[in-house]
Amino acid sequence: RSCLGVVSADLHLRRSIITHTIDFVHIAMSSEEAERLKTEANKFFEQKKYKEAVASYSQAIDACPTAILFSNRAFAHIKMENFGSAIEDANKAVSLDSNYIKGYYRLGAAYMALGKPRDALKNFRQVVKIVPNDRDARTKLLECEKQIKKIAFEEAIASEHTKSVFEEVSYKDTQADASYTGPRYEGDEKISKEFATQLVQHFKDQKNLHKRYVYRVLYEIYQLLSATPTLVEIPRPKEEGGKFTVCGDVHGQFYDLCNIFTLNGEPSEENPYLFNGDFVDRGSFSVEVILTLFTYKLVYPNHFHLARGNHESKSMNKMYGFEGEVKAKYGEVAMSMFSEIFCLLPLAHVIGEKVLVVHGGLFSKDGVTLDDIKKINRNCEPPDSGLMSEILWSDPQAFPGRSPSKRGVGLSFGPDVTQRFLEHNGLELVIRSHEVKDEGYQFEHNGKLITLFSAPNYCDQVGNKGAFLILRHDLKPNLTSFEAVPHPNVRPMAYASNFNMFGL
């Protein structure tokens, strides 16, 4: 019996050694595979192929999860503007290694991108705590503190001023002298198609519109949008030759906007348009874009439509360049005017009683009706949650149900959610924007939803096409993709001040 016991113990020991050896070999192989995939992902990242980088980092994480891999994937998500996913990954990185400073860097950058400098500040403080002599972290920490103080100051000023800037400033107090050679309209003269044509050429020549006429355009658009409902109903295009064009995000790419008009015709009563939000930010000709769009809206108030996007807001404009551009070209008063106007932009359009157009997407609960959208109090900065937030920020997903948003705001919604919403409201199609697509558009949710993006080669680096969509009397979508055109040598985010330091 003693001999048998010895043999049994020996066999058990051998099995244990073999098992541990197999585990060790498996770990070594997994680690080796993860390293190979990380190298592959890093190359994709360097080539600005962020979607492919995320896929390779994900495979590496499946093989051997590490703080480095989660942090790297977080950085790729930041580049794709998936800030919610970036925060999730960066939190996993620091949970695996609480001293891994790049994880806190990614958290800080993602929170800054969402306009949450207080949350960003906590993470840069953690970096400084771990590495007190990290000058880069201290610089970013100081920038966060600066933004927090600036926001607090602006909120205090806003609480003291209950009057609209349009009650305090008049375009009539600013005169254009004889040296100004750009477009004008004076007295009781209404803004005209000729003014719009001259304005576009003036901007193409890289000249500024005089502040008098900037103020006047903004004053008149403020009045017009004040009387516009939250949900605008647009009639079905005429049976004989009628058409209606929808465009997605333009993001300050003025010369690409002009190309849309070259390809599809200038706006007119016979050639109506709807631009579906995100007119500004990122691109450094945002002022030219928004003043052109506002001018056409004034010329054709019933045939040229504008919807609010998530970038028509103070927090986004501070981060992504529009505020800096406006102040550089026209001053602080003009920026206050734009901010008030953005709060008056409609949130939704329904075309021919069958097609809903919104910037972002659908909602976190079933049963939302068009009447619910009409009742949204839009005259405010977008909240962090609720119908208004969701209509501006949400994205479709390929699988059923609802999921947390990859952006950190709004939600992701599946084809079943879209189908129920359409049936409940007697609609047939959702057109939305908000996301870059390789061809400028993408049919999703069994053809019941179309994503439309009209800023080709987004930020001068993505390489995507832009697209516009035409509806005729039968309301069947016809899509046209187009390439980017050259523009003057002013880089994207040129007016974004110190925010480029966060890698956005």
Side-chain angles (χ1 to χ4, degrees), residues 24 44 47 50 67 118 174 185 199 209 289 328 338 441 463 465:
F24 178 80
F44 282 134
Q47 296 166 3
Y50 303 120
R118 289 181 177 86
T174 304
Y185 69 113
L199 177 67
L209 181 64
V289 166
F338 278 115
Y441 69 92
K465 294 178 183 177

Side-chain angles (χ1 to χ4, degrees), residues 143-436:
E143 183 60 32
C144 290
E145 291 175 341
K146 176 183 170 184
Q147 290 306 315
I148 291 166
K149 288 177 183 176
K150 184 178 179 183
I151 291 167
F153 176 76
E154 289 173 350
E155 287 174 349
I157 294 295
S159 67
E160 294 173 7
H161 288 77
T162 55
K163 280 188 176 181
S164 164
V165 66
F166 293 99
E167 296 178 52
E168 299 179 334
V169 178
S170 171
Y171 70 88
K172 295 176 183 178
D173 298 333
T174 304
Q175 301 301 319
D177 59 31
S179 65
Y180 172 69
T181 58
R184 299 171 179 255
Y185 69 113
E186 303 290 356
D188 295 330
E189 177 187 359
K190 284 191 173 183
I191 198 166
S192 65
K193 178 184 176 182
E194 290 70 29
F195 178 88
T197 301
Q198 291 169 19
L199 177 67
V200 169
Q201 187 57 52
H202 194 67
F203 285 154
K204 284 182 178 178
D205 294 337
Q206 299 182 68
K207 297 177 180 177
N208 285 350
L209 181 64
H210 193 281
K211 192 179 286 188
R212 172 181 174 86
Y213 307 110
V214 173
Y215 284 5
R216 182 165 183 181
V217 166
L218 297 182
Y219 174 73
E220 291 182 6
I221 202 75
Y222 174 81
Q223 289 186 308
L224 177 60
L225 292 177
S226 294
T228 302
T230 297
L231 185 149
V232 176
E233 298 182 53
I234 299 169
R236 183 185 290 256
K238 293 177 182 177
E239 193 165 1
E240 293 293 328
K243 75 169 188 175
F244 189 89
T245 302
V246 183
C247 298
D249 303 38
V250 178
H251 275 301
Q253 297 184 197
F254 173 71
Y255 295 86
D256 293 309
L257 170 66
C258 294
N259 189 40
I260 293 173
F261 297 148
T262 298
L263 295 171
N264 191 56
E266 291 184 5
S268 68
E269 292 184 0
E270 294 73 35
N271 193 27
Y273 280 85
L274 163 59
F275 281 83
N276 194 28
D278 280 13
F279 320 122
V280 301
D281 281 339
R282 292 288 192 181
S284 294
F285 303 94
S286 291
V287 167
E288 288 79 5
V289 166
I290 194 65
L291 288 175
T292 297
L293 296 178
F294 281 172
T295 297
Y296 275 121
K297 177 65 179 172
L298 291 172
V299 176
Y300 303 110
N302 299 316
H303 298 86
F304 195 86
H305 304 276
L306 301 171
R308 191 175 190 176
N310 61 298
H311 275 267
E312 278 70 57
S313 65
K314 287 181 180 178
S315 61
M316 293 293 102
N317 296 160
K318 285 182 194 302
M319 284 295 304
Y320 294 102
F322 183 61
E323 181 180 287
E325 183 183 347
V326 173
K327 289 181 177 179
K329 293 177 179 178
Y330 296 114
E332 198 157 335
V333 170
M335 188 61 224
S336 296
M337 291 178 171
F338 278 115
S339 294
E340 285 197 31
I341 291 165
F342 287 166
C343 291
L344 299 174
L345 286 163
L347 299 179
H349 293 75
V350 173
I351 303 169
E353 301 181 345
K354 293 297 178 184
V355 180
L356 174 70
V357 187
V358 295
H359 180 72
L362 300 181
F363 309 101
S364 58
K365 60 182 181 181
D366 287 340
V368 175
T369 66
L370 298 182
D371 282 340
D372 292 328
I373 296 173
K374 290 176 183 178
K375 293 173 185 175
I376 295 172
N377 176 20
R378 73 184 192 275
N379 190 4
C380 62
E381 290 301 310
D384 290 334
S385 61
L387 296 186
M388 182 173 175
S389 173
E390 291 163 2
I391 214 169
L392 294 174
W393 279 94
S394 293
D395 295 295
Q397 64 185 22
F399 49 91
R402 295 178 172 91
S403 304
S405 170
K406 61 191 177 185
R407 299 176 187 269
V409 188
L411 71 145
S412 296
F413 60 96
D416 56 326
V417 175
T418 298
Q419 184 65 38
R420 289 195 298 271
F421 176 83
L422 292 173
E423 289 175 355
H424 189 65
N425 287 282
L427 299 168
E428 296 176 355
L429 178 67
V430 174
I431 300 173
R432 47 88 63 177
S433 303
H434 197 40
E435 284 186 286
V436 181

